[in-house]
Amino acid sequence: MTRATAVVWLGVAVHAGLVIHRAWDELTDAYVVQGLFRTYRPPGPQPDGWLVDPRPGDLATEITARYGPASPASAPAPSPTAWAAWLAARGLSPRPATGFAGPDEPPRLIFLASGEIRLQTGRFQGQAVLFDPPAG
């Protein structure tokens, strides 16, 4: 190998290293994007799993926005029977959070032992996707 060829290969290696470093920075950076109607924050780890789309809002407003009808979104007391009555008043019938939750499925509420309530919005790679009001 001539000296000129070695210099060229060294330049190629340095350039490839810089490109890889720049790509790594771009792919791992957590951008906060200001949209037209809300701010989109990057995903982040939580004790229960990854928080993918953090945004503010309460559970009653989210259920009204997803399933309608557009009625007052005041939340009921945090009990399964109160939520069942609240959903029934809006023409929705809750069901247990088992299996796949599609977009046309009724709301699936999960009542945690701590008294907190989550809305299962679907599944991604075998894991439940939840609307978690306290995390937003």
Side-chain angles (χ1 to χ4, degrees), residues 42-130:
Q46 298 289 311
D48 298 328
W50 277 81
L51 181 62
V52 176
D53 187 16
R55 57 182 166 165
D58 63 305
L59 187 59
T61 304
E62 185 69 16
I63 290 174
T64 301
R66 285 179 181 269
Y67 301 101
S71 59
S74 58
S79 72
T81 54
W83 274 98
W86 185 86
L87 290 169
R90 284 154 178 75
L92 299 169
S93 59
R95 60 184 274 190
T98 58
F100 177 76
D104 297 330
E105 295 284 329
R108 295 168 182 230
L109 298 179
I110 299 172
F111 295 90
L112 303 177
S114 64
E116 297 175 337
I117 304 168
R118 303 290 186 268
L119 171 68
Q120 180 180 348
T121 59
R123 296 186 71 77
F124 179 72
Q125 294 185 350
Q127 296 184 2
V129 177
L130 305 176

Side-chain angles (χ1 to χ4, degrees), residues 1-57:
M1 179 185 307
T2 66
R3 182 178 170 108
T5 306
V7 169
V8 169
W9 279 111
L10 179 64
V12 168
V14 168
H15 177 71
L18 292 173
V19 168
I20 290 170
H21 178 40
R22 173 64 185 222
W24 179 259
D25 284 345
E26 291 288 327
L27 292 172
T28 58
D29 198 6
Y31 293 105
V32 175
V33 178
Q34 179 60 49
L36 187 58
F37 299 108
R38 71 180 181 100
T39 302
Y40 296 89
R41 299 191 188 335
Q46 298 289 311
D48 298 328
W50 277 81
L51 181 62
V52 176
D53 187 16
R55 57 182 166 165

